[in-house]
Each structure stands twice: as C-alpha cells, then as structure tokens.
Amino acid sequence: MILENYYKIENNKLRVSRQQASDFAKRIANDFNPLHDTDSKRFCVPGDLLFGLVLDQYGLSQNMRFVFSGMVGDGIELQFPGNATDKFSLSGSNGKDYLHVERSGDTTHDKTFIHRLVEAYVAFSGHAFPYVLVPLMEAHSVMVNPDRPLIIYESMEIHLHRLDIANPELKLSGTCFNIDRKRGEVQLAFTLLDNGEVTGKGTKNMVLSGLRPYDAERMQRVVDDYLQRQEQFKSASNATPA
C-alpha cells in the first residue's frame, strides 16, 4: 500500500478526491459503505484514510487519540498544521474542524512500519460491519435504520509498548454497547500483536443512530446487499480485459 496514492497535498493543504476515497475504502479497508461511493449524494472521506494520512504526515507516536468532529465531504481541502504539537486539529477550507489529534511518547517516521500498521488497522476496522456489529445489535435486540443505516466513526486511540514492530496484527479483545433510546455507542477494543507477542492495545468508538427493534429479516437484507457489493467489486477487479 502506498498512502500517497490516496491524497494530494500542496502548501500544507490536502485534498482527497471521490475516486481516491472510494478506492481506499474498497481496495484497502474492504469497506463498502455507500457513503464512500463516487456517486453518493452523502459522500464522505473514510475516517480510516484520515487516520492513515495523519500518521503519514506526522509519524506514529506510542500513544495517540483521534476524535472526529465532522465528515469530510467532496471538495473540502484540509489544512495540515506545519508545526504540529502534542495536540492539533485538521480544519477544512470552510473553517470547520474535522479531526482532533492528541499524541505522546516516542515517535517513529518509518514509512514501512507506518503503512503496515495502517493496513493492519483498516483491515480490523473494515471487518466490523457486518461481522461484529450485526451480532452485537442482534444480542441487544436493536438495529440501525435498514433503509438508511448510519454508523458514525467517532474516535479511536492506540497505545504501543514499543515502536519496532515487524508484523503488526490487530485482534478484537472486547466489545461494549451502550444504548440511549435511539442512539447507541459501540466500543471495539483490540490488542496489537507482533508475531504473537502483545505489543499494544487500542479502541475504536462508533455511534449508531436511528435505533429500532431488531428485525432479523430486514437486517439480513442489509447484510446480503453489503456482501453482494463486495463480491461485485472483487469480480470486476479480477475480470480480465477483453
């Protein structure tokens, strides 16, 4: 994976095109959320791509926290601070803040390691729907609106014991689902491994809106449609040109 393929930056201003965002979501994160389709009216840049871009620009610190405060839509240029401190934000050309970052500890700028970690994280993150979130919703007898499912990436954090990790791998270590009427907050906890050795931990936090009683048949149609989109994309990608 070459992160530079998925954004363009000039004079500390970064832009992600619809095609770049869609390619990253589908090819790297295995994320087929319609919000990342090039023709989506509600198009937004994947949060996992923004996470990767921050690491690519500023390095990976032992302790990092990312808080998303808005979805980056089409045509938004992000201003990357020239001299980032331990706390900084990415703001848009419209004056709005989209991502807040906190970091501490040692920092590495090793591109190879950073790209491997981003790949490992987005693979874990992209697996959440449907394989983690749907069973979690079923267990709590609620589901998102099947006609307009909205799952918002709220925040994530990561804590590393060391920065000389050769083969990063993330594994789910726990889940938490708090429900307040039609709103749900989900936390996915993960352990970071290096060839089987525990080298860190972290969490991904999401907000589920428009919750309603769980309907197995309707949710299964959502899952089937999502998996069909995955399969169609893979088939098209593997097709040999005539």
Side-chain angles (χ1 to χ4, degrees):
M1 177 190 67
I2 302 175
L3 274 170
E4 289 84 351
N5 289 340
Y6 302 101
Y7 68 93
K8 182 179 181 180
I9 189 167
E10 293 180 349
N11 300 320
N12 291 331
K13 291 184 178 180
L14 179 145
R15 179 188 288 268
V16 178
S17 70
R18 283 177 176 256
Q19 191 62 58
Q20 288 172 318
S22 183
D23 286 345
F24 180 89
K26 295 174 175 63
R27 298 181 186 280
I28 305 299
N30 201 32
D31 179 356
F32 287 80
N33 187 328
L35 289 176
H36 308 317
D37 289 349
T38 56
D39 58 354
S40 173
K41 293 181 179 179
R42 298 191 296 159
F43 166 84
C44 71
V45 175
D48 286 343
L49 176 53
L50 297 180
F51 161 73
L53 297 182
V54 168
L55 299 192
D56 208 37
Q57 292 296 311
Y58 299 110
L60 170 68
S61 298
Q62 283 183 282
N63 304 292
M64 300 194 77
R65 176 173 170 78
F66 299 77
V67 179
F68 297 90
S69 53
M71 296 191 294
V72 179
D74 187 30
I76 298 296
E77 285 188 333
L78 292 176
Q79 181 72 44
F80 270 55
N83 296 306
T85 60
D86 289 343
K87 293 183 180 181
F88 63 93
S89 298
L90 303 187
S91 58
S93 51
N94 54 5
K96 179 180 178 180
D97 286 342
Y98 286 94
L99 177 61
H100 304 284
V101 182
E102 298 178 13
R103 57 183 182 167
S104 64
D106 294 336
T107 299
T108 179
H109 295 273
D110 183 335
K111 294 284 189 180
T112 299
F113 170 45
I114 287 173
H115 290 184
R116 285 176 180 171
L117 179 66
V118 171
E119 284 185 307
Y121 176 73
V122 299
F124 164 83
S125 182
H127 188 78
F129 187 90
Y131 302 106
V132 179
L133 292 179
V134 173
L136 199 58
M137 288 189 285
E138 182 178 16
H140 288 78
S141 301
V142 296
M143 68 178 186
V144 292
N145 183 347
D147 298 319
R148 292 187 68 183
L150 185 58
I151 300 173
I152 300 173
Y153 191 174
E154 184 180 53
S155 64
M156 72 85 68
E157 58 183 81
I158 189 168
H159 306 280
L160 303 175
H161 303 328
R162 53 184 174 83
L163 294 173
D164 57 342
I165 301 173
N167 297 297
E169 178 186 3
L170 276 71
K171 287 192 175 182
L172 184 69
S173 59
T175 60
C176 181
F177 194 178
N178 295 315
I179 301 171
D180 183 7
R181 290 172 290 184
K182 293 186 177 183
R183 173 187 168 94
E185 295 184 353
V186 172
Q187 182 178 89
L188 306 181
F190 60 84
T191 300
L192 183 71
L193 305 172
D194 181 21
N195 294 321
E197 177 190 352
V198 175
T199 56
K201 62 180 181 179
T203 57
K204 175 177 180 175
N205 302 283
M206 294 165 284
V207 173
L208 281 59
S209 300
L211 294 181
R212 61 205 58 208
Y214 191 83
D215 183 322
E217 183 176 344
R218 295 190 71 188
M219 181 51 63
Q220 188 59 51
R221 288 201 294 269
V222 174
V223 173
D224 290 344
D225 179 66
Y226 186 87
L227 296 179
Q228 184 179 34
R229 285 166 52 81
Q230 280 186 334
E231 190 57 38
Q232 288 174 341
F233 179 80
K234 291 177 182 177
S235 296
S237 299
N238 294 331
T240 302

